[in-house]
Amino acid sequence: MTMQSPIVPFDTRSFRDSLGKFTTGVTLVTTQSDKGDMGILVNSFASVSLKPPLVLWSIDKSSKRRAAFEAAERTAIHILADAQRNDCMGFTKDAFGFGGLTLADNPGGPPLVEGCLTRFECEPYATYEAGDHIIFISRVVNLTTRDASPMVFFNGAFGTLSTADDQ
């Protein structure tokens, strides 16, 4: 006989803590705004479709960066390498935290960060309101990729993924 845990009411904090048990990669989404190049760290990234090539990410409705991403004609989604952790942490508080990052030349487009695992250059496809967030679905129009150790987020903290090759 197996025992099941009882279903109990939960609050926002316990829900958030429970979601933190799911290890995710970390992405930096960038665009141009009327105030300059802008970025936001996001772990709510997922693939949606291969045909057409679609991905999604979400942003809190109360984010001061929301309007710039809603108005964006192009964005770039960067799957970050672990080696980029220190250079990207500025985006947790500053939308313009590009100091320390190397950018590729991209006149008229969103900032393209060098050294990431994968970079998707995207156009808007659809947006949806979902609770306290806005979900952006983007169509990928170009990509670059390379091998490196990923930056990950688990249990409320950034970390490193250990693989069998690392042992």
Side-chain angles (χ1 to χ4, degrees):
M1 179 173 156
T2 60
M3 302 270 306
Q4 291 186 336
S5 298
I7 297 174
V8 296
F10 60 87
D11 60 14
T12 302
R13 181 77 251 169
S14 64
F15 183 56
R16 184 177 178 146
D17 290 346
S18 295
L19 292 172
K21 302 298 183 192
F22 182 68
T23 304
T24 65
V26 181
T27 62
L28 172 64
V29 184
T30 61
T31 195
Q32 291 182 317
S33 75
D34 57 358
K35 296 176 184 169
D37 291 344
M38 178 180 283
I40 188 168
L41 288 178
V42 172
N43 72 335
S44 61
F45 171 82
S47 62
V48 174
S49 169
L50 295 176
K51 294 181 182 179
L54 301 175
V55 295
L56 69 77
W57 65 281
S58 64
I59 190 170
D60 192 300
K61 286 180 179 177
S62 67
S63 172
K64 294 177 183 175
R65 303 174 206 193
R66 173 184 165 188
F69 286 102
E70 286 180 319
E73 293 180 20
R74 300 278 296 240
T75 59
I77 302 171
H78 308 78
I79 299 176
L80 297 175
D82 186 56
Q84 295 175 297
R85 184 184 321 185
N86 292 336
D87 293 333
C88 291
M89 293 311 293
F91 287 102
T92 61
K93 296 189 179 2
D94 181 6
F96 310 101
F98 288 92
L101 292 173
T102 302
L103 301 179
D105 190 34
N106 191 27
L112 302 178
V113 176
E114 297 283 16
C116 55
L117 296 180
T118 297
R119 180 176 62 224
F120 300 103
E121 296 174 57
C122 302
E123 296 175 340
Y125 186 83
T127 58
Y128 299 96
E129 289 194 30
D132 58 4
H133 276 64
I134 301 291
I135 298 170
F136 291 92
I137 298 182
S138 302
R139 184 176 189 280
V140 177
V141 296
N142 193 24
L143 67 88
T144 59
T145 192
R146 71 181 190 93
D147 289 328
S149 294
M151 184 175 169
V152 298
F153 193 73
F154 173 76
N155 219 18
F158 296 97
T160 302
L161 176 69
S162 295
T163 65
D165 294 338
D166 295 332
Q167 307 299 319

